[in-house]
Amino acid sequence: MSIKDKAYLVGAYEHPTREAKDKSLAQLHAEVARGALEDAGLSHRDVDGFFCGIDSPGLGPMSMIDYMGLRVRHLDSTDIGGASYLSHVNHASQAIAAGKCNVALITLAGKPRSSGWSGTQARTFGDEAPDAAFEYAYGMGTANVYAMSAKRHMHEFGTTSEQLAWIKVAASTHAQHNPHAVLRKVVTVDEVVNSPLVADPLHKLDCCVVSDGGGAVIVARPEIARSLKRPLVKLIGAAETLKGLEGGDIDVTRTGALWSGPRAFEEAGVRPADIQYASIYDSFTITVLMQLEDLGFCKKGDGGRFVADGNLISGVGRLPFNTDGGGLCNNHPRNRGGMTKIIEAVRQLRGEAHPAVQVPDCRLALAQGLGGFLAGRHGSATLIMERE
């Protein structure tokens, strides 16, 4: 079912906290829900569809619907990591187009900072994935699995650490204008490549921040959107996919965006060259570079040259990205930074981003999410949004 022009993003809210030792996950969900509803000019009584991932054992849509006193007729708990919330926007739009609900609330909450999670810890056999017994015994963690892709990309295409560093430089240039960002200091290429090595070839500043927090968005039927006093932002293209291990025959320099991106562009009827702003999932600098290639913003292997010399900086380069500072500098709750990608894209299309990073007359934006391991199994979801 095509969702083009059948659903609008009418509310968006990002929690200001980056450390929430005094709040529960359920409370964070409720607070971002309230913020998004107030932003849209709606109440919890208007919500008849609810979407969220499984943020912890026992805390999913059933718990949160009850906790927030919602009365819904449609719910979804699709969980593909950092791509989940982009997938939820797609699913909510499909449900609205099919008449299953009218106003969908999508929430995210996480507390990895409070719990001491850093992304460098080795995984354990607690994971029941079929490959766990073969890989986790060797100390596989998030950082080193992403580093494998970076190392291979450098080997095949000549990508350099300095080129990757430009992605962090762009994110930090934007983050200096965000009062809630974890890292607001503008960094240089030299500072990135001279920061401590975490997993060769990724340095400390190639990695995202770890924060508590969350966010929420509201998706609604067109007639409801037009009745609200908010700029109109409609979804015109969406797609999602899963990239698996393929029995070991896997190219670790490619992401699921290679499949979700073209389908979203086809549904939207636009090309990568038409996009004025891009929110790209940024767990690590290499994550951004590879997705930009696979989405078609440049050829495979040209990502290093594409991101260099400030090309991702708003007002300087040709593709402004993550103007809130992204996961690299602003906010990355529970390894689920896809929600913030949607929120900042909505801000840009509404003309509500910080004046220093607002893209002039922004009418077409893309949000890209990725969840899982870059060099292994991961989900990918792509959204294309337009200001009406």
Side-chain angles (χ1 to χ4, degrees):
M1 176 186 295
S2 174
I3 48 79
K4 187 174 183 179
D5 303 340
K6 294 179 180 177
Y8 287 66
L9 288 95
V10 300
Y13 180 79
E14 180 182 5
H15 205 290
T17 189
R18 298 297 180 265
E19 188 168 13
K21 293 181 178 179
D22 61 336
K23 297 179 185 293
S24 67
L25 276 176
Q27 186 176 354
L28 288 172
H29 273 282
E31 289 180 1
V32 297
R34 181 177 61 188
L37 288 166
E38 289 177 351
D39 179 67
L42 296 167
S43 84
H44 73 284
R45 289 182 292 275
D46 297 307
V47 175
D48 59 354
F50 182 70
F51 299 70
C52 77
I54 307 298
D55 289 337
S56 68
L59 189 63
M62 289 193 296
S63 298
M64 291 315 308
I65 289 168
D66 187 33
Y67 180 80
M68 293 191 287
L70 301 175
R71 292 289 183 268
V72 304
R73 54 196 182 102
H74 190 82
L75 58 94
D76 189 323
S77 61
T78 297
D79 199 323
I80 49 175
S84 300
Y85 306 93
L86 292 90
S87 176
H88 291 164
V89 170
N90 184 16
H91 294 184
S93 300
Q94 293 175 8
I96 288 169
K100 301 295 184 182
C101 62
N102 296 309
V103 175
L105 167 64
I106 305 165
T107 65
L108 156 72
K111 296 182 60 177
R113 185 174 181 180
S114 294
S115 65
W117 187 86
S118 70
T120 59
Q121 295 98 327
R123 300 285 173 157
T124 69
F125 287 108
D127 193 314
E128 298 300 326
D131 49 298
F134 300 95
E135 295 188 350
Y136 290 3
Y138 296 95
M140 186 180 79
T142 303
N144 56 23
V145 179
Y146 278 71
M148 288 173 59
S149 287
K151 197 72 171 179
R152 187 66 191 180
H153 202 282
M154 288 178 170
H155 173 75
E156 288 197 23
F157 306 114
T159 307
T160 67
S161 291
E162 287 77 13
Q163 290 172 333
L164 288 178
W166 272 106
I167 299 170
K168 185 74 166 197
V169 170
S172 70
T173 301
H174 298 149
Q176 68 177 313
H177 305 292
N178 183 348
H180 302 301
V182 173
L183 301 178
R184 297 186 64 192
K185 178 183 178 292
V186 179
V187 299
T188 66
V189 168
D190 285 343
E191 286 175 320
V192 178
V193 299
N194 289 314
S195 62
L197 199 63
V198 173
D200 188 22
L202 298 178
H203 299 82
K204 180 179 179 180
L205 291 180
D206 284 301
C207 307
C208 70
V209 300
V210 176
S211 71
D212 299 345
V217 292
I218 310 288
V219 184
R221 298 181 64 83
E223 53 269 33
I224 293 174
R226 295 190 180 102
S227 73
L228 304 173
K229 297 178 181 179
R230 304 298 284 132
L232 292 171
V233 175
K234 60 184 178 181
L235 186 65
I236 62 172
E240 59 200 75
T241 192
L242 175 75
K243 182 187 177 187
L245 296 173
E246 300 173 0
D249 184 18
I250 182 174
D251 183 348
V252 300
T253 69
R254 296 188 181 275
T255 73
L258 184 66
W259 295 275
S260 63
R263 292 203 297 268
F265 278 115
E266 181 181 8
E267 183 172 44
V270 301
R271 303 170 301 157
D274 299 320
I275 299 297
Q276 297 167 280
Y277 167 77
S279 280
I280 307 293
Y281 192 83
D282 55 344
S283 48
F284 300 87
T285 52
I286 186 61
T287 318
V288 176
L289 185 147
M290 286 173 49
Q291 288 175 105
L292 287 171
E293 291 177 337
D294 292 340
L295 288 167
F297 288 107
C298 61
K299 292 181 180 179
K300 197 66 189 174
D302 285 349
R305 289 179 288 276
F306 182 82
V307 302
D309 302 320
N311 196 44
L312 301 181
I313 298 175
S314 185
V316 176
R318 58 178 173 172
L319 184 65
F321 105 117
N322 295 10
T323 46
D324 59 344
L328 286 170
C329 294
N330 170 35
N331 186 15
H332 201 261
R334 197 183 173 264
N335 203 23
R336 301 292 178 103
M339 173 63 81
T340 58
K341 302 297 165 275
I342 306 165
I343 293 170
E344 185 67 5
V346 170
R347 290 188 189 119
Q348 281 286 350
L349 291 168
R350 287 175 168 183
E352 296 174 353
H354 190 283
V357 298
Q358 175 66 52
V359 175
D361 194 29
C362 186
R363 294 186 173 275
L364 203 59
L366 173 144
Q368 167 66 30
L370 186 144
F373 293 136
L374 195 63
R377 184 186 301 107
H378 64 257
S380 174
T382 310
L383 304 179
I384 299 175
M385 294 158 277
E386 182 178 41
R387 188 180 80 207
E388 186 172 283

